[in-house]
């Protein structure tokens, strides 16, 4: 008997298939396998659910698969990537999938039944059904969406006789076409397959539950909107569900594809930015299309029925470590308006600029201030692309109605903050986010109630982040961005190839390799998303002195802290004053939030207005072939250019290393000279000590001689006096 691996979407019959295979004579190897490890499944499932990570073993996939022998099977939610496909080449595969709306409902029921995600409202069976799905999307859907996107590609994978694709509903309803496919796969008769499935369905399975939350009473309008803008509708259509008619006739359309990366939706500002495309869609039909830029290669993208594509800021295909050939191919062929939203454009800027040219991007929304755009994107190089300056994020109505903003005087904490240790190659501006938090941690002599941290595992997301901000009178902040343009990636490469200090911090680049020569004459200082979030929560801001994109005024909208911390006493005094802080946050809220000047509506109107009236048209076979040929040539050229860039980058790293080595040698030589000088000084000090000791000894002798002379003189004087007295008598 062959080895079998059951691949599945979450809650799509994974352990139902375990029962089916055991009824068919296969043995379960006892492991639920993931890409980076596996869980040993015990007989007592309650023991497993009480501490699932206690059964987890970290292990590379190639090693985990060695536990499976012929006649055995394993289960898991593995991503469909070339690496995974290659590692499973000796296995027969079963891909079990399900309508994603049913899968989500089943997952929520499963979490409630076995008390997974304890403390979360969406997993609490006492929470009203209409809220559970909505709350799930708002707080903990990121991992589920990431898993679905990485696994759904198996639906498109096809090798005759190697994979059985099993729609959960077809299985439990004994669909005749599926029964025939399963009979061919297992090489047994159809009635035998049907009998085995019947027995498996009736038997208890590891995660089988009774659905208390029903699909029909759990999906509200809000839940459906979340479902759409997280791109799950698009994934469901790729699985064969949620189908709709698409006319092939030429027609005028206002349909936008929002290209997003589901790995980042748990960040509040990313969530708000994406949601705004639907909220302010201006007559457009909006569809969110998730694209993972690392490893996903089995999904076919078709943008032929859209008039506008917006590539959001967490999709960065120009980076050498990212890439999705299917997505880039579809984008290259697209003839409508292409919009690119950018953050962090100081990373590998040369590759970014070339990508904009190669893929004929029409509009770029950059976070570079307007006065500096021409320095990074020269007009003569981009005659057909329009560049717009915008912020990294805008004001959102993200605070749920059920949350009341407490007044300053009732807040339990004085200052809260979550920072992040910046990558050393991003320079001083990026490092300030970490340094301001560390400085306030050192203020032990002030009587402050503070919750400050810069560790990645202490970061907070979703509604919990807003509640965290509203728990305190004030939070900290700095300007966002980096003024170091690592145009070819060599600065990052240099840091990653050099060891860090013993305490884990970066050694830092030598002064001779000055970052100022790498800033292109551009000041990237930006107002950050967290500042808008704090103002929305009416939490006072303590910010390093700066411009903040011209949005904020010092001591009107925030408390200014000098970068040398010379006015810290004044800052602490202001934090202790309830009336002062309340007036400060009310002013900031009125000027920034209520004014609407910095709302998402304005930026959405600007993005949608870039699209001209566009006619969707069918291309001839010859045109499609020519576009494919052009794209293949582009890919080959890009490969050659990226290879050349990597060589150039390696060469620049060698130059940087040489300069650093020379710098280090000079410093080492100076240190050695100082050591020699110190030794000479020590020798002189010892000699002086010796001379001093001799001098002290001579002083003692002279003092004794002096005393002896004084005694002799005194004796002589006394004798003379006695003789004088004797003669006088």
């Amino acid at each position: 008997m062959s080895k079998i691996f059951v691949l599945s979407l979450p809650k799509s019959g994974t352990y139902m298939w375990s029962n089916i295979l055991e009824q068919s004579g296969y043995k379960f190897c006892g492991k639920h396998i993931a890409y980076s490890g596996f869980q040993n499944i015990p007989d007592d499932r309650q023991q497993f659910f009480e501490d699932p990570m206690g059964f987890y073993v970290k292990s590379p996939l190639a090693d985990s698969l060695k536990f499976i022998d012929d006649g055995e099977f394993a289960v898991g939610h593995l991503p469909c990537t070339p690496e995974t496909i290659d590692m499973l080449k000796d296995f027969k595969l079963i891909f079990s999938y399900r309508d994603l709306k049913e899968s989500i409902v089943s997952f929520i029921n499963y979490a409630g039944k076995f008390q997974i995600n304890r403390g979360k409202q969406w997993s609490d069976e006492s929470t009203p059904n209409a809220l559970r799905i909505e709350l799930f999307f708002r707080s903990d859907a990121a991992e589920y969406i990431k898993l679905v996107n990485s696994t759904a590609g198996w639906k498109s994978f096809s090798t005759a006789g190697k994979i059985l694709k099993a729609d959960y509903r077809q299985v439990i309803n004994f669909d005749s076409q599926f029964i025939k496919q399963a009979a061919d796969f297992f090489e047994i008769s159809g009635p035998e397959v049907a009998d085995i499935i019947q027995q498996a369905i009736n038997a208890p399975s590891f995660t089988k539950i009774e659905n208390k939350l029903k699909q029909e009473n759990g999906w509200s309008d809000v839940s459906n909107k979340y479902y759409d803008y997280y791109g799950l509708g698009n994934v469901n259509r790729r699985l064969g569900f949620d189908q709709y008619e698409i006319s092939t006739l030429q027609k005028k359309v206002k349909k936008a594809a929002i290209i997003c990366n589901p790995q980042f939706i748990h960040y509040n500002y990313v969530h708000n930015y994406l949601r705004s495309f639907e909220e302010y869609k201006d007559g457009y039909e909006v569809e969110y299309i998730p694209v993972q830029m690392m490893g996903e290669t089995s999904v076919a993208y078709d943008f032929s029925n859209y008039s506008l594509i917006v590539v959001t800021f967490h999709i960065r295909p120009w980076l050498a470590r990212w890439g999705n050939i299917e997505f880039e191919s579809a984008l290259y062929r697209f003839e409508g308006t292409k919009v690119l939203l950018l953050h962090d454009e100081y990373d590998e800027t040369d590759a970014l600029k070339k990508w904009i040219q190669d893929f004929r991007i029409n509009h770029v929304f950059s976070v570079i201030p307007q006065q500096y755009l021409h320095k990074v994107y020269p007009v003569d190089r981009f005659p057909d692309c329009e560049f717009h300056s915008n912020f990294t994020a805008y004001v959102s109505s993200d605070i749920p109605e059920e949350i009341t903003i407490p007044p300053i005087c009732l807040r339990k904490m004085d200052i809260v903050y979550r920072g992040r240790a910046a990558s050393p190659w991003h320079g001083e501006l990026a490092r300030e986010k970490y340094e301001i938090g560390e400085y306030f941690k050192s203020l032990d002599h002030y009587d402050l109630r503070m919750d400050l941290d810069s560790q990645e595992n202490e970061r907070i997301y979703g509604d919990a982040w807003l509640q965290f901000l509203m728990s305190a009178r004030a939070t900290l902040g700095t300007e966002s961005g980096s003024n170091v343009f690592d145009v070819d990636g060599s600065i990052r490469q240099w840091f990653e190839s050099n060891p860090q200090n013993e305490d884990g911090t970066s050694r830092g680049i030598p002064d001779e390799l000055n970052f100022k020569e790498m800033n292109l004459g551009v000041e990237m200082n930006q107002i950050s998303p967290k500042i808008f979030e704090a103002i929305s929560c009416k939490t006072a801001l303590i910010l390093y002195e700066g411009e903040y994109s011209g949005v904020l005024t010092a001591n009107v909208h925030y408390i200014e802290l000098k970068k040398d911390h010379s006015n810290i006493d004044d800052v602490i005094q202001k934090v202790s004053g309830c009336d002062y802080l309340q007036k400060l946050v009310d002013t900031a809220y009125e000027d920034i939030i209520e004014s609407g000047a910095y709302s998402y509506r304005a930026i959405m109107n600007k993005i949608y207005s870039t699209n001209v009236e566009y006619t969707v048209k069918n291309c001839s076979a010859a045109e499609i072939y020519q576009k494919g040929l052009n794209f293949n040539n582009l890919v080959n050229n890009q490969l050659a250019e990226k290879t050349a860039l990597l060589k150039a980058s390696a060469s620049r790293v060698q130059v940087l290393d040489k300069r650093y080595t020379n710098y280090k040698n000079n410093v080492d030589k100076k240190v050695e000279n100082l050591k020699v000088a110190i030794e000479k000084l020590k020798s002189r000090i010892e000699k002086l000590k010796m001379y001093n000791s001799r001098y002290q000894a001579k002083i003692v002798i002279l003092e004794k001689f002096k005393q002896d002379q004084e005694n002799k003189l005194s004796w002589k004087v006394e004798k003379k006096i006695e003789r004088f007295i004797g003669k006088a008598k």
Side-chain angles (χ1 to χ4, degrees):
M1 297 174 73
S2 58
K3 298 182 286 188
I4 291 181
F5 201 105
V6 179
L7 305 153
S8 60
L9 295 178
K11 300 307 299 171
S12 296
T14 308
Y15 288 95
M16 176 187 72
W17 274 102
S18 176
N19 284 350
I20 292 173
L21 288 169
E22 287 181 329
Q23 293 285 348
S24 304
Y26 286 86
K27 180 183 177 183
F28 181 36
C29 74
K31 291 174 172 52
H32 188 117
I33 297 177
Y35 198 84
S36 56
F38 60 84
Q39 286 173 303
N40 288 306
I41 306 299
D43 293 332
D44 183 356
R45 68 176 182 176
Q46 190 57 45
Q47 182 185 3
F48 173 82
F49 289 122
E50 286 176 358
D51 182 23
M53 294 311 295
F55 295 88
Y56 181 78
V57 179
K58 192 172 182 180
S59 169
L61 178 58
D63 292 343
S64 301
L65 294 175
K66 294 175 183 177
F67 288 105
I68 310 164
D69 296 323
D70 288 340
E72 293 186 343
F73 70 92
V75 300
H77 312 302
L78 297 181
C80 183
T81 66
E83 293 82 4
T84 310
I85 292 169
D86 183 62
M87 284 187 273
L88 292 173
K89 62 179 181 291
D90 296 329
F91 288 76
K92 295 186 76 173
L93 307 175
I94 297 173
F95 175 55
S96 183
Y97 61 99
R98 187 179 192 177
D99 185 302
L100 291 184
K101 287 191 173 182
E102 292 182 9
S103 168
I104 291 168
V105 168
S106 182
F107 181 80
I108 292 173
N109 282 317
Y110 162 75
K113 174 69 174 178
F114 298 112
Q115 297 186 342
I116 299 169
N117 296 93
R118 293 186 183 95
K120 302 287 187 178
Q121 277 188 285
W122 63 266
S123 68
D124 187 344
E125 294 182 340
S126 66
T127 300
N129 288 335
L131 274 179
R132 291 181 69 185
I133 297 175
E134 180 181 341
L135 291 170
F136 169 69
F137 275 122
R138 278 168 52 175
S139 58
D140 294 289
E143 282 302 314
Y144 173 88
I145 294 167
K146 179 180 176 182
L147 198 59
V148 164
N149 275 286
S150 66
T151 312
W154 292 107
K155 181 66 165 61
S156 305
F157 176 72
S158 183
T159 300
K162 183 177 175 64
I163 184 167
L164 175 65
K165 299 172 187 177
D167 176 349
Y168 177 81
R169 283 290 169 191
Q170 288 183 336
V171 177
I172 64 174
N173 291 328
F174 301 94
D175 180 83
S176 58
Q177 186 177 358
F178 170 75
I179 295 294
K180 182 179 183 305
Q181 293 170 351
D184 293 340
F185 182 82
F186 288 110
E187 298 179 351
I188 58 178
S189 68
E192 286 179 285
V193 171
D195 185 55
I196 289 171
I197 292 174
Q198 183 67 64
Q199 294 178 52
I201 291 173
N202 293 335
S205 76
F206 185 60
T207 58
K208 189 174 182 180
I209 54 170
E210 176 188 353
N211 287 343
K212 294 198 172 183
L213 169 64
K214 303 294 184 182
Q215 178 160 328
E216 57 271 15
N217 61 14
W219 286 92
S220 64
D221 289 342
V222 174
S223 300
N224 280 312
K225 284 184 178 180
Y226 277 114
Y227 173 82
D228 286 334
Y229 82 69
Y230 285 149
L232 293 177
N234 188 56
V235 177
N236 222 20
R237 283 189 283 279
R238 283 166 26 207
L239 293 171
F241 308 105
D242 287 359
Q243 294 293 350
Y244 57 86
E245 291 294 325
I246 301 177
S247 172
T248 57
L249 299 176
Q250 294 187 5
K251 58 181 180 180
K252 306 291 184 183
V253 296
K254 286 183 73 174
K255 187 173 181 181
I258 312 303
I259 312 300
C260 54
N261 189 333
Q263 288 180 293
F264 298 96
I265 58 174
H266 58 288
Y267 290 96
N268 288 54
Y269 78 97
V270 177
H271 170 278
N272 294 334
Y273 217 123
L274 292 177
R275 184 181 67 180
S276 297
F277 283 102
E278 173 68 27
E279 190 171 352
Y280 305 112
K281 59 187 179 182
D282 190 30
Y284 274 82
E285 181 183 346
V286 174
E287 185 166 359
Y288 296 86
I289 300 179
V291 176
Q292 289 182 305
M293 298 310 298
M294 291 179 285
E296 183 184 346
T297 59
S298 57
V299 177
Y301 297 93
D302 181 9
F303 299 134
S304 59
N305 282 276
Y306 297 90
S307 60
L308 172 67
I309 289 180
V310 180
V311 181
T312 57
F313 38 80
H314 282 113
I315 303 292
R316 302 200 287 171
W318 54 88
L319 297 182
R321 59 191 178 277
W322 285 32
N324 184 319
I325 197 72
E326 285 78 13
F327 164 70
E328 288 188 303
S329 175
L331 182 66
Y332 183 82
R333 290 170 168 80
F334 179 66
E335 294 186 348
T337 302
K338 302 174 190 176
V339 173
L340 176 63
L341 307 183
L342 291 175
H343 285 183
D344 303 343
E345 53 207 286
Y346 35 74
D347 287 334
E348 299 188 33
T349 315
D350 285 348
L352 163 62
K353 291 192 282 191
K354 188 171 187 314
W355 192 87
I356 292 171
Q357 287 181 301
D358 288 343
F359 286 85
R360 306 187 304 279
I361 303 300
N362 306 109
H363 293 268
V364 172
F365 284 78
S366 164
V367 295
I368 296 174
Q370 188 70 39
Q371 65 268 31
Y372 299 118
L373 276 174
H374 68 281
K375 291 189 175 184
V376 181
Y377 307 107
V379 176
D380 57 343
R381 181 172 174 180
F382 301 95
D384 299 320
C385 182
E386 187 174 349
F387 290 84
H388 313 264
S389 183
N390 71 143
F391 300 151
T392 53
Y394 289 82
V395 172
S396 169
S397 55
D398 190 45
I399 300 177
E401 293 181 359
E402 61 268 21
I403 296 178
T404 302
I405 300 177
I408 290 291
C409 60
L410 296 182
R411 303 194 181 191
K412 297 180 179 179
M413 304 297 292
D414 292 314
I415 301 172
V416 297
Y417 181 64
R418 287 295 181 267
R420 174 177 280 156
S423 303
W425 54 86
H426 285 147
E428 182 180 350
L429 180 61
R431 193 162 55 247
E432 288 178 354
K433 291 182 181 181
Y434 175 77
E435 290 177 346
I436 191 172
E438 294 305 297
Y439 171 71
F440 270 82
K441 279 185 182 180
S442 70
L443 302 180
D444 296 333
H445 52 291
Y446 291 102
D447 185 20
L448 293 172
R449 300 162 297 176
M450 297 191 292
D451 185 347
L452 316 171
D453 212 297
S454 297
Q455 299 299 315
E456 195 66 32
N457 60 358
E458 291 296 325
R459 294 182 72 80
I460 305 170
Y461 303 102
D463 291 348
W465 168 247
L466 302 177
Q467 294 278 20
F468 181 67
L469 286 176
M470 286 186 279
S471 71
R473 294 181 172 193
T475 187
L476 310 175
T478 67
E479 289 182 302
S480 182
S482 169
N483 289 326
V484 180
F485 280 79
D486 188 5
V487 294
D488 58 3
S490 60
I491 301 176
R492 174 177 179 154
Q493 188 176 345
W494 186 89
F495 274 103
E496 291 181 339
S497 64
N498 282 273
Q500 295 182 323
N501 294 326
E502 292 181 1
D503 62 359
T505 59
S506 171
R507 183 176 62 190
I509 197 164
D511 290 339
E512 291 183 4
L513 306 182
N514 199 321
F515 275 151
K516 290 183 179 179
E517 68 186 40
M518 303 163 188
N519 75 353
L520 306 184
V522 174
E523 297 294 330
M524 284 286 288
N525 307 44
Q526 272 269 356
I527 189 169
S528 75
K530 286 187 176 180
I531 289 177
F532 284 130
E533 291 165 359
I535 296 173
S536 296
C537 294
K538 289 194 174 183
T539 300
L541 289 159
I542 301 171
L543 306 179
Y544 274 152
E545 53 192 318
E547 295 298 323
Y548 296 95
S549 304
V551 175
L552 305 181
T553 302
N555 301 317
V556 175
H557 301 126
Y558 68 94
I559 301 171
E560 183 181 65
L561 174 64
K562 302 296 183 184
K563 291 187 180 181
D564 63 1
H565 308 131
S566 57
N567 67 329
I568 185 61
D569 289 336
D570 180 54
V571 170
I572 300 303
Q573 183 179 0
K574 288 177 177 178
V575 171
S576 64
C578 282
D579 292 341
Y580 173 82
L581 287 186
Q582 192 65 59
K583 182 179 179 181
L584 186 81
V585 299
D586 287 344
T587 301
Y589 191 88
E590 180 180 347
D591 293 349
I592 310 302
I593 308 300
E594 290 184 341
S595 70
Y598 307 103
S599 74
Y600 275 105
R601 180 186 295 278
I603 188 64
M604 290 299 125
N605 289 344
K606 195 171 182 180
I607 291 172
Y608 283 128
S609 68
T610 61
N611 187 32
V612 296
E613 190 177 68
Y614 173 64
T615 302
V616 175
K617 64 179 181 179
N618 293 322
C619 295
S620 68
E623 288 175 316
I624 293 173
Y625 173 77
Q626 185 59 49
K627 285 185 179 181
L629 191 62
N630 293 343
F631 181 73
N632 288 337
N633 291 335
L634 174 63
V635 170
N636 291 333
N637 291 337
Q638 281 186 332
L639 182 61
E641 287 163 1
K642 283 187 177 180
T643 302
L645 276 173
L646 286 173
K647 288 181 179 178
S649 177
S651 175
R652 188 173 177 192
V653 168
Q654 289 176 353
V655 172
L656 290 172
D657 275 336
K658 186 176 180 180
R659 290 172 66 183
Y660 176 77
T661 301
N662 293 337
Y663 170 81
K664 187 175 183 299
N665 289 339
N666 290 335
V667 171
D668 290 343
K669 188 175 181 180
K670 288 178 182 178
V671 170
E672 289 301 319
N673 291 338
L674 283 172
K675 286 181 179 178
V676 171
I678 289 170
E679 290 301 320
K680 288 181 178 179
L681 185 60
K682 285 181 178 178
S683 177
R684 291 189 63 186
I685 290 171
E686 290 300 322
K687 286 182 179 179
L688 287 172
K689 285 181 178 178
M690 183 180 68
Y691 292 149
N692 183 59
S693 180
R694 291 177 181 176
Y695 176 71
Q696 292 296 331
K698 286 183 178 181
I699 288 175
V700 171
I701 293 170
L702 289 171
E703 287 288 342
K704 186 177 180 183
F705 177 77
K706 176 186 174 185
Q707 187 65 42
D708 289 343
Q709 293 300 314
E710 287 176 349
N711 290 338
K712 286 180 180 180
L713 180 62
S714 176
W715 181 79
K716 287 181 178 181
V717 169
E718 287 177 358
K719 287 297 181 182
K720 285 183 177 183
I721 292 172
E722 287 177 357
R723 283 197 297 268
F724 178 77
I725 293 172
K727 288 179 179 181
K729 288 180 177 181

